[in-house]
Structures are given as structure tokens and as C-alpha cells.
Amino acid sequence: QVQLVESGGGLVQPGGSLRLSCAASGRLASIYQVNWYRQAPGKEQEFVALVTVGGITNYADSVKGRFIISRDNAKNTVYLEMNSLKPEDTAVYYCNAYVPPDDLWGQGTQVTVSS
């Protein structure tokens, strides 16, 4: 079974940048679509970005123009580059992929944007 492991979270000042990684234990190239979600304290989980095996991307309006999602199939890793970070980006970020019949989630990585 494929497993997803996120890394790269941390504390950053407003306006700063972070790059999150989602490493797949299996062959990433076989996974059609990988998504990033986030959940802030007291709020519902929300979609952040997705990338398909063909490189098609989509973003939530709240991060469009600031975040970039990409995948490196050779390294079995999906990245989320986050720029111009705002305090409202503070959340636990999760990597997700549907690999039939399983809906896979990583353990999450905390991102805190604060001065």
C-alpha cells in the first residue's frame, strides 16, 4: 500500500516562504492526482491545490498566485511551494491521493505564520 509522508512545515514570518514535500512510498507516477489540503484550528478542512499526472494544476482562490504545486515522479515526491505567506495560512497541511480502493492521507505538517 502506498503511504504519504509530509515534511517541510515550520514557523515563518509573514511574507516569508516555505516548501512542503509529500513523499510517496510507492511509485508516484501511478497516482493520477495528488492534493494538498489544510486545516486551521477551529475551522473545517479546505482544499489548497492539486496536480495531475499530466501536470495540470488547480488552486484555491485564497492561495492562487502565491503557492505553486509540482511533482517529481522520479523522486516520488509532490511539492507545495508557499510564498508571501500570511497569518491566515497557518494550519496543518495534509497531502492526499486516491489510490483505488484507498483514499490516502499523510500525517500532516504544521505551518505557522507569525511575527
Side-chain angles (χ1 to χ4, degrees):
Q1 182 183 17
V2 176
Q3 292 184 323
L4 305 175
V5 179
E6 302 97 334
S7 62
L11 173 64
V12 63
Q13 292 186 344
S17 299
L18 280 176
R19 189 177 77 160
L20 305 184
S21 299
C22 171
S25 61
R27 187 167 167 265
L28 181 66
S30 67
I31 302 175
Y32 176 74
Q33 178 175 312
V34 179
N35 313 297
W36 282 98
Y37 286 84
R38 67 186 181 186
Q39 188 164 21
K43 295 187 177 182
E44 294 188 352
Q45 189 180 68
E46 66 170 339
F47 166 77
V48 176
L50 68 85
V51 61
T52 70
V53 67
I56 296 172
T57 59
N58 194 23
Y59 299 90
D61 287 343
S62 59
V63 307
K64 202 170 292 184
R66 299 188 297 123
F67 290 12
I68 301 171
I69 188 171
S70 62
R71 63 192 288 165
D72 186 337
N73 290 336
K75 295 183 178 180
N76 291 328
T77 302
V78 171
Y79 302 99
L80 184 68
E81 181 180 342
M82 307 186 296
N83 303 304
S84 301
L85 283 162
K86 305 174 182 180
E88 51 263 43
D89 294 317
T90 295
V92 178
Y93 284 71
Y94 297 92
C95 181
N96 161 256
Y98 178 60
V99 183
D102 301 308
D103 189 26
L104 304 177
W105 293 86
Q107 82 288 352
T109 185
Q110 175 70 47
V111 172
T112 303
V113 184
S114 175
S115 55

